[in-house]
Amino acid sequence: MPKIAQDAEIQTVITTFEMTPGTCQDLLDALTDAYSGFISKQPGFISAGLHVNDAQTRIANYSQWKRREDFQAMLRSPEMRERNRRINELCRSFEPVMYEVVGTFD
């Protein structure tokens, strides 16, 4: 499970996916397979979480990496490039964006 802390020296990536309710479960299956079969085994991977909105039109993915370069290397790998082609077919759009934690509140 992701741990969010302001002083953590990690790279956070939040990716949002837009899809129709009819493809939501297929996309979740593809993302779950990607994380369990490939992404979670890549150097620098720390953790990730998937979130679905009530209408099943958006998925938010939160992932943590030791370094920005670790995430970029995973994306550039032949296997992930192939997986992303399939993921792209299941959604209208997706966009990974890198963030740094600047505040947390309990």
Side-chain angles (χ1 to χ4, degrees), residues 15-101:
T15 306
T16 54
F17 301 84
E18 290 187 43
M19 83 296 294
T20 66
T23 58
C24 182
Q25 189 58 54
D26 293 333
L27 183 54
L28 276 174
D29 291 346
L31 292 169
T32 299
D33 184 65
Y35 271 103
S36 63
F38 180 71
I39 299 171
S40 65
K41 297 169 177 53
Q42 298 310 295
F45 175 81
I46 298 170
S47 66
L50 293 170
H51 309 262
V52 179
N53 72 336
D54 289 345
Q56 295 189 338
T57 57
R58 292 184 185 267
I59 294 174
N61 169 229
Y62 185 96
S63 65
Q64 296 175 324
W65 297 81
K66 289 183 182 174
R67 302 173 315 128
R68 169 185 291 259
E69 294 81 10
D70 295 328
F71 174 74
Q72 291 171 328
M74 179 277 300
L75 279 183
R76 292 182 183 127
S77 70
E79 181 165 347
M80 198 62 216
R81 290 175 63 197
E82 180 63 32
R83 287 179 182 267
N84 275 338
R85 281 191 279 279
R86 170 74 175 130
I87 288 167
N88 191 51
E89 292 172 359
L90 294 170
C91 61
R92 290 185 186 131
S93 66
F94 70 98
E95 181 180 15
V97 179
M98 295 184 190
Y99 294 89
E100 292 184 22
V101 177

